[in-house]
Amino acid sequence: MPSSQSSSLICDSPAVLGCPNELNQVIINLIVNSAYALSKQPAKDPDHEACAQEDRIRIAAALDGSEIVVTVHDNGPGIAKEIAQRIFDPFFTTKAVGDGSGQGLTISQRIITNTFHGSLQLDDTVTEGTRFRIILPVAQNDADYRDLN
């Protein structure tokens, strides 16, 4: 089944404090995890209406008050509740040996918390797939942003 990726980003977004390369690392890690989950789910039956939609990863960003919220959402199998509480633990993985180290989400959470003073959350309110939310505080003024350069 073909897959698609889409993005919806805000134009003229305010600055956030942190390193763009590290934010890229986090988003890429979430995309790679989504793609892996989509590749491991059972083949979809195109004759069954609920299974007819293609695999999808959606990335969006929106300004919410004094925060920018970036979401990465896939329509894969989702994360079981009994596993969800452990996904940020170091070395925890559901992948086969050799497919993952269990460090991606741990490092991603550390980057968002320590570098951006934000948070990385698994959104447990979704009914389809998996959605992560990256919440980043907006820089309060241009001086905050310049201090990083």
Side-chain angles (χ1 to χ4, degrees), residues 114-132:
N114 295 345
T115 302
F116 291 90
H117 305 287
S119 64
L120 173 60
Q121 306 166 350
L122 173 64
D123 184 347
D124 61 2
T125 65
V126 296
T127 57
E128 174 189 55
T130 301
R131 180 170 51 207
F132 282 92

Side-chain angles (χ1 to χ4, degrees), residues 4-148:
S4 70
Q5 299 81 33
S6 65
S7 62
S8 171
L9 303 176
I10 51 178
C11 296
D12 299 324
S13 62
V16 296
L17 299 177
C19 176
N21 290 338
E22 290 185 352
L23 182 57
N24 289 342
Q25 178 182 350
V26 171
I27 293 170
I28 288 169
N29 179 66
L30 295 174
I31 292 169
V32 167
N33 285 352
S34 288
Y36 181 86
L38 289 168
S39 75
K40 295 301 179 184
Q41 67 183 347
K44 295 181 178 181
D45 178 0
D47 295 330
H48 188 266
E49 185 178 332
C51 295
Q53 68 176 327
E54 63 186 2
D55 294 339
R56 182 183 71 247
I57 300 170
R58 182 168 189 268
I59 304 153
L63 182 61
D64 184 9
S66 63
E67 300 172 325
I68 294 193
V69 179
V70 179
T71 58
V72 177
H73 186 186
D74 67 55
N75 66 337
I79 297 174
K81 289 188 186 302
E82 58 273 5
I83 293 172
Q85 63 191 9
R86 299 185 57 207
I87 61 170
F88 294 108
D89 292 351
F91 304 107
F92 177 77
T93 184
T94 59
K95 296 177 180 176
V97 174
D99 281 346
S101 66
Q103 290 296 292
L105 289 174
T106 303
I107 291 168
S108 293
Q109 186 177 53
R110 188 175 313 130
I111 288 170
I112 296 301
T113 302
N114 295 345
T115 302
F116 291 90
H117 305 287
S119 64
L120 173 60
Q121 306 166 350
L122 173 64
D123 184 347
D124 61 2
T125 65
V126 296
T127 57
E128 174 189 55
T130 301
R131 180 170 51 207
F132 282 92
R133 294 169 34 96
I134 303 168
I135 302 171
L136 306 169
V138 171
Q140 296 301 310
N141 56 51
D142 288 340
D144 288 343
Y145 182 70
R146 281 192 303 273
D147 289 343
L148 292 174

